[in-house]
Structures are given as structure tokens and as C-alpha cells.
Amino acid sequence: MARLAVEGKSAIEAAGTESELLELKGRYFGKKGAVSEILKEIVSLPVEERKTIGAAANEARQALQAAFDARLEALRDRERLAREGLERVDVTLPGRAPRIGHRHPVSQTMSEIISDFQRLGFSVRGGPEVEKDYYNFEALNFPPDHPARDMQDTFHVDWPGANLVLRTHTSPIQIRTMEAARPPVRVIAPGAVYRCDSDITHSPMFHQVEGFAVDRNVTMADLKGLLTSFCRMTFGPDRPLRFRPSFFPFTEPSAEVDIRCANCAGAGCRVCKESGWLEILGCGMIDPAVFGFVGYDPEEYTGFAFGMGVERIAMLRYGINDIRLFYENDIRFLSQF
Amino acid sequence: MKILYSWLKEFIDTKLSPAEVANALTTAGVEVSSCRFLGEGLSQVVVAKILAQAQHPNADKLSLCRVTDGSREYAIVCGAKNMKAGDVVALAKVGAKLPNGAEIKKAKIRGEASEGMLCSEQELCLSEESAGIMILPPGTAVGAPLAEAIGLADWLLEVEITPNRGDCLSVLGVARELAAITGEAVALPAADVVEDGPGIDTLVSIDVTDRELCPRYSARAIVGVTIAPSPDWMQRRLSLCGVRPINNIVDITNYLLLEVGQPMHAFDLDRLSGPRIDVRPSGVPREFRTLDGAARKVLPEMLLIWDAQGPVAVAGIMGGENTEVLPTTRRVLFESAHFAPSSIRTTSRKLSLASESSYRFERGVDPAGTLYAANRAVSLLARFASFSAAAGVVDVGGGTDFSRTIPFRTARATQIVGREYTDAECAGIFARLGFSVSAAGQGVLSVGVPPRRFDVEREIDLVEEVARLVGYDSIPTTYPSSAAPDFSDDDRFAQVVEKAAACLLAHGFSQSVNLSFVSGKEWARHAVLLGFDPGDAIRLANPISDDTTMMRPHLLSGLLHNVAANVRRFIDEVRLFEAGKAFGRSFEAGHYEEERLGFVMYGHRLPEHWDGGNVPLDFHDAKGVAEAVLSCAGEGTFHFVPASSRPFLADGKAAEILKDGEIIGWVGAVRRELLAALEIPAAVFYGEFRLRAAARGSADAARYRPLPKYPPVSRDFSCIFPSDVPVGDVLAMVREISPEIEGASVFDVYTGEKIGAGQKSVAFRVRIQPSDRTLTDAEVHSIHTKIVKLLENRFGGKIRAS
């Protein structure tokens, strides 16, 4: 029996496949297998012998069974590995990707500006792009035949008697909003605007974001604080900025906001025309004459307004040097954003 | 406007350097966009004298010059012909780097050594063009640096004057501004006239009929003058400031325009009929020839200057050819007037005639300064021309006080700006501006504003003066106190656009931004195809080009051009969307414009992949995108029906999208003719939404429904229909059969020989989902039977298997 155990064990361990192993199993454990034969013989032995030999035989049988189980597991393991080895994928092949589109850089920039101001408590308002002269100019304190109108080359609509223009700025939304609501108002007004001008930094259509707030005790210091926060959000916390007096017919006092030129860090270069500063927005305190047009009492209420060109900010942010690229919509351009 | 630093110094003895002046002005609101040293690049250019000139032995067009700079001689090869021995010229020595970028090296030209270059004014960037080399006046000190010799040791400031600051459009105006900033004093140069001629009343009589449009008219006359070139220094200053020198009389008027901002006109007194002058509107339409030779169509309301016979000038804009100064002129009348700004502007615009003069009158010329300018002109002219000045002046309106008095509350400045100002601080600013100040009660100042400041009429204008001159840097940084922000329809709509954009971006569409203009010609050519009514177009009166003559009636053409442009660049998969407005006329409402969202697709269903198995796009790809967008950004239920009125979409492959019976969009294949016109080689699918209408409706968040606890049951039906049965309608009606029906979908559609012509086989899966129990077989069977009946009776279907 012991001999059988030793011999059987080495045979089991030599088995190369599962079927070979199963055949061995039959040879030892089957009805006519070696183990069964021995166990049958034991029955015929005398009781004393039967006890000792039986114990030994049982031990051998268990050893064989254990060897068999271990071998079976090893074989199956090897087989599984072999099988999975055949199915291993090339992880370096390109994935089956869904298509992903790209946001237009102007729209992206505009969207970020809007959400910055929404966080600062401003609410969105829109307005018509084909606008009445009254809203675009007159109520914003551009008298007819005033040189201030030359500041914005205007597209006029060919519609006799209608007195329509393509809005030259988003500021008409100030008038429309104030006509419809009493203070406090705090509005951000994005949209397309039009000026009769075309070169590498001017497009006949571009986008502006206008903002304004009217309430009791709104001051220019508040405007300065708000725009300082905005510039930090948009251009980074360490970018110096300055407020410089300027002129717009609908604000007084008026200012332009410049940020430090990032290209030369203020030393003066081609990008900033040697000034070290880049103009990014215009702003000021709403002129009392404008309040006159919408029936607000200028002694009771004060307000500020600001406006910025989205393309200009996008060009600065992304280093784009020709505004016309924005409107060609070349996929190779759009895919960069 | 260009200002010379040296000229500025004649009016204000400032301690500031040119760069400091530039910065101070910019900080106070008079923006200096550049400040340039004029001698830049001239450090190696000296005054030299030509000793001898000879023909170059090997080149007809070149000559050999021997020149001296006083200390040594140089041999120079020169291509110009306009010089001779004895001329004083500008010599760029070897090593010079000229303003135009040229570097001067020792060279051999056609075998002859050249030790430098004789420069032209163009090469020195002193003028736009030049006929030959620069010949300097004979007395110029040989050997001196050229920059010093010709007054280029100077700085040119480019100043941007905003339209409200007409008073700053001169050297004097900028000097006054600088004085207000620094507290330094402005000194007016002398303007004493030696009156050694006949009385002016004996030479000319002057009336002003329209005193409203011409509140002041000052004049001086001179006799016995000879027309000649102005001195070099004056010509140089005029040229550097962008004015072409002409002769001593014209130049002196231009010089005064630049110096004190007073436009002047010089009449040849002998050509003035009368001689007399009147100022009044034209009265009737007429033609008038201005001194540039052009015949101008003058309208009745336009203000003219008249002599005894007729008009002699368009007031404040341009003189007439009939009385301009000629080389033979001996007697001159200098006009120095103030005209009402709006009248000048209207006339200038209507005549399309703008001049340095009209530019200043439109913005306001100091009515108190006319006489000083006339005196200064004659006084300055006397320094280099000989003549007799007529005794006395004409000064209509001379006694008028044009100044204004404005009450100013210091507390108002504090209210607007948010910084505490004191009475003394404000009074100090006004004094430096040359305004008179007196106390007018507690915290109130009475401020007298000189008439040159057309922009200071109200208290707020004074607030601005205080704020900018105390400085914006001194304004504190605070934050608006919070008021509850509102949330408007436009806020909600902005979210709708963002949602739609997010959906399209996730489906591979990039965002396009097109100009809202389209070509009227192109739309007219394809009017029928584009479904465009030319009468409904919003057209521009002054388009910037032929491609941008009208506002787009819908978004297709921009996106289609984008596809074509990308295809031309060898890009064969194009998916773009655009959010923007469409425009048209509607006579009740004036005009309409509407927010639209358009998308366009070209290429294949899937991105290119090694797996293969790709197919070209078809209608249902586009419809699927439309459904996805509406599910993300729309509100309500949408039905797709065959399109009846979208001629730009191909017949049979176009749907309109309905919501509550209203068309809120359309989707389909773009008409082949439109693709052919843009040379787009394969099918393009297009969808457009009227976004506000699509999103209109309940803004409520979706309501939660409890999740089903019981197992669903699916039943499949395969049915043969006549091929014109709309499957969408079948699905919609199947869903309505029982509330237990959770959904119905199509999993196969087959047409072909096996079915027979005019028929199609459609396979559905209907999902039945009870909410409160497990359905019995009988209940399921009953629903099944109803569906079969519907398919057979309502749609003429023949059940194949179920």
C-alpha cells in the first residue's frame, strides 16, 4: 500500500493535463482501481491485521487524494492563465472614444465673466441687438450731433423712419432695465455689439459684457472694489491694475481700467504699445442725466456701470493676435480650447 | 494729437521730464499714448559740408562726394543728384543706426570707397517721402549733431483727447491741464502788435448777422506783406505735428491752431468784395467751391462767411477758392472766430468735409481766446515777415462774458466718489484749473468756470474734476453693500443655453461664433431655397463689405459656410453649433430678433476607429441630436412632423418640431443645391431651435415618482404596415392604450423584397410596468389584444408575430 501511495503520488504529479489526471483518478480510485482493490483485500484479512493495515491504507488513500486535488488545482490554474494569456488586449491601441466638442473661446470667456458677476450678486439681462437710436445713444446722454457719437462707428439700419441702429454697446440694457424696475438694480448684460470697423484687433461684430448697479449709497469706491475683485478672478491675484480717468457720455466721473502687461511685466513692449499697461474695461458713475431719462432721482440714488470687450479679454488670455480667427470657426482653432 | 515737449515748455516751465509729463497727463485723464525722443537713431548723424562733387567713374547714377564734418574729410558715394559743392548736408557716419533701421557700414560701391551716407529726410524718418538728400540752411554749424542743429533734441508726445476735452486740443490746452496737475503756472507768450498801418475800419467792414451761430468774430488785417516760405523752425514744428507747411500766411494760421487751439482763416483782402464780411446761413441751396477745389453742395441752414457779393467760406470748416491767399497776395484779413459746435458738426457731416478747424470747433473753441489768437498771429508773423499791421481790431461779441457759475457741494463729491473731500481740497483743485471759487454757504462753493471748458456745465462735472485731479489712486476700495439679487427670466434663459451647449459639446459638437451679418446678394440668389422673403430682411444702410449687408434671417448660412471652410482645409468630420440671434421685420412690433440654437453635422456617425464599421450620417443621427438637446434644455413634449415650410431642407428628409402646436425648430438634410453652391461634397444635416419657445414652460424641477416594485413585462410585436404610416404616431398611440404601458420602442425596421413594394415591417417592444401589483396573465393579454387591434384597425397593420 505504501508503495502504491509513493508510486501513485509521483504519477499524479507528473500528469500534464486534466484529462491525464482524471485517467489516473480512475486508475486509483475507480471501482476497479488500485485503492479499491486493496481495500477489498483488507476485508479478507484477520481482524488484528485488518486494523493496522486498514489505518495505513486509509492514510495512503488520503495522501493520494490530497495529491490529486492539489494537482487538479494547479492544472486548472495553469489552463486559466494560458487561456487569459491568449485574450490579453493591447492597452496601447486608441480607445473607442466618444466625440467631444470644444467651447468657443469667446463664449467660454463670456460665460466665465457672467458667472463671476452672478456670484457677486448680479442678475443677467439681455436686450435687442437691432436697437432704437434712443436707447443706444440719446438716453445714454449722447446728444444728436455730438462728437461723442464718433467714438463708436455706427451701423444704421436701412429702414426709413425707424431710426434703428445695430447697438454699438450693451449699455442700452441699462436704460431698458431702469425703465422697467425701481432701484436697487444689479445687472450683468452680455451680448453681441456692432461697430463699423475691421482690422486685426477690430471686428464689425464683437461681444461685450456690461454691468451696472443702482441703489442708495453706491459709490465709485464700491466700483473700484468690485472691479478689483473681478480682475483678480480673471487675471490672477498678483496682476497690478490702475484706474485712469476717461470719458463716456453716460458716466461721470469715468475711468478706464488697465492691467499690467503680462508680456513685458510693465517694461513696455509691442503688445502694450510700450506703455506697460493693457486697457481692459471702461467704467464710471452713471451720469445724473441718464437717471433723468429713466425717472430716477439722482439726489437719492447713485450707480455705477462698467463694460468690457469679451474678445479683447479672450485675446489677452489665450494669446490670440488676430480677432478674425474667432469668426472663421476652423475646427483646428476651436479644438485648442 | 501731437505735442512737442519744447513747445509745451514755452507755455509752462515744468520741472517734469517728458516721460513724467506723459505719465502725469495720463493719470489725470489726458492719455499720452506715446512719448518719443525725436533724435532717436540720429546720434551718429552730423552736419557736414560738401567740399567737392564728381561723377562716379563706374556708375552713371552715382556721384562721389568729398565732405567734411569740420574735423576730418570723408569720401561718400551718393545716389542723389540734388546737391552741389558748398551745400550743408546730413552725414550718417559709419556705425550709425538710422531711425528707419538701416545700419551704416564702410562699403565699396562699384569700386569706390564710401565712408558713410548722405541722408534724405525720408531715411531720417523726418518726412514720408523726399526727392533727394536733405539740404540744410547754409548757416548751419558744420560738425554739430544733426538732432541739435534741426531741433530734434526734442520729444513728441502723442496725446489722445476724448471728445469732451476740446479745450485740450492745443499746446496751450495741454499746458493748462499740466498746470492743474502740478500746480505750476501757465504763461501766455507775448502778443503785442505794432499797429503801423491804416485803421482796420478803413480796410474792411464786418457784421455778424447770426450771432447765435457765431457769438464772437475777431479779426486783424495786415498790408504790404510778401508771401514767402516760413522760417525753418516753424516749418519743422508744423511738419512734426502733421501739418504740411505752405507759406508764411497759411503757416501762421496753422501754427496758431496747434498752439492755442484757435482755428483761423486768412482771406486775401484784395479779393474780398466790399471789402466786407458777414456771417449768416446760406438761406438757399447752392454750390460753393472750397479752396481744395471741390464744389460743395451747401444746404440752406449751413453757416457761411460772406463778402459783398456772395459766400467766401464755409464757416469754421474751410475757406473758399475765391478769396484764398495767393503768391501775389499783399493784404490779408485774419479771421479768429467762435462758431457754435453743433452747427459746425452738422455741416461738416452733411458735406462729408472735415478739417483740423472743424474738428476743433465741433468740440468747442474758447470764445474768450479769439482776440489773443489774432494778436499772437500778427505778433509772431512780424518776427519773420515785414508788413504793416492795421490799427485796431474787429471784435464782434468781444464784450460778452461767456463764463458760467456753478454751485458745488463738497458732500456731493463724497456721496458720488465714496471718499471724504474737504472744502479746501476742492477749492484748491478749482483754483489750479483756473476756475474762480467763492464760498456760498456751509459746504457749498460757487465756482466760476471759464468758457473754454465746454465739458463743465453741472455740479457732477465739477465732481469729476475733483475726483480725477485729487487722483483715482486716493479713492478707497470698498464693496457694494448687498441687496438681495433677483433671478430674472434672462438668468434662467442663460442656464438653458448653457444646458443645450453642454449637451452638444458632449456629443462632439464644437461651438461656432459667426457674425450676424450675411451677404444680401447670396441670400437673394438663393432666396427661394433659403425660404427667405427679401421684404422681411433687416438691411444695413452702411455695410462694411458686400458680405455683410443684412442681418441673418436664420443661422443656416453661417454654419454652412463654416462646414465649407473646414472641408476646404481637408477636415472631413465637422460638427458645429451656434447660439445666436435671427432677425427680421414684423410690422406690428417694429422688428423681431430671436435667440436660436443651430447645429450642423457632416461626415460619419462614429469617429474614425480601427474597429471599422462606420457609416455616413443620416437623418436619424440629426434627429437624435435634436431629441437629446430638447431633452436637456427643453420643457414639454415635442413632436416631429414632416416639414412643410423649410425649403433649405431636402424634401422628404426634413422635420419640423412642434410643441403645443407651435413650430419650435426644424431638422433635416440640407438641400443639395445649397451644398453645391459651397462645393460641399457630401450630405450635411442641420437642426435649428427657437430656443426660448422650446424652453418655455414650467420651471419646476422634475417631480419624483416612486420606483416600481413589481416586475415589468415586455411584449414584442412585428407588424407589416403600408410604407407611409408614420411609426412615431404608432408609438405615440400604443403608449396611450394603457397607463400601465411604460414605454414602446422600435427595434427593427425592414423594407425589401421579402415584404413587397409599398410596405414595411416594423418590430416593436412594448414594456408594461404596473405600479402597484404584479399583472395577471389575463391583464397582460388584454393589453396585448388592444395593441393588436390598434395596429390592425387604426394603421392597417398585419401582425407577423407577437
Side-chain angles (χ1 to χ4, degrees), chain A residues 138 214 223 267 317 322:
Chain A
E138 204 180 327
V214 182
L223 172 65
R317 280 178 58 176
D322 185 342

Side-chain angles (χ1 to χ4, degrees), chain A residues 220-288:
Chain A
M220 198 156 173
D222 294 340
L223 172 65
K224 206 175 156 184
L226 179 80
L227 292 179
T228 302
S229 294
F230 166 73
C231 288
R232 289 194 175 136
M233 286 192 270
T234 306
F235 298 104
D238 303 324
R239 200 80 173 270
L241 65 154
R242 69 173 181 184
F243 286 73
R244 178 166 52 76
S246 188
F247 168 73
F248 307 104
F250 44 100
T251 53
E252 187 158 11
S254 301
E256 268 167 354
V257 179
D258 300 336
I259 54 167
R260 183 61 88 195
C261 176
N263 191 48
C264 63
C269 67
R270 200 180 41 79
V271 174
C272 58
K273 293 183 186 142
E274 308 299 332
S275 72
W277 294 97
L278 295 165
E279 181 192 322
I280 52 151
L281 60 85
C283 62
M285 299 302 292
I286 296 175
D287 194 298

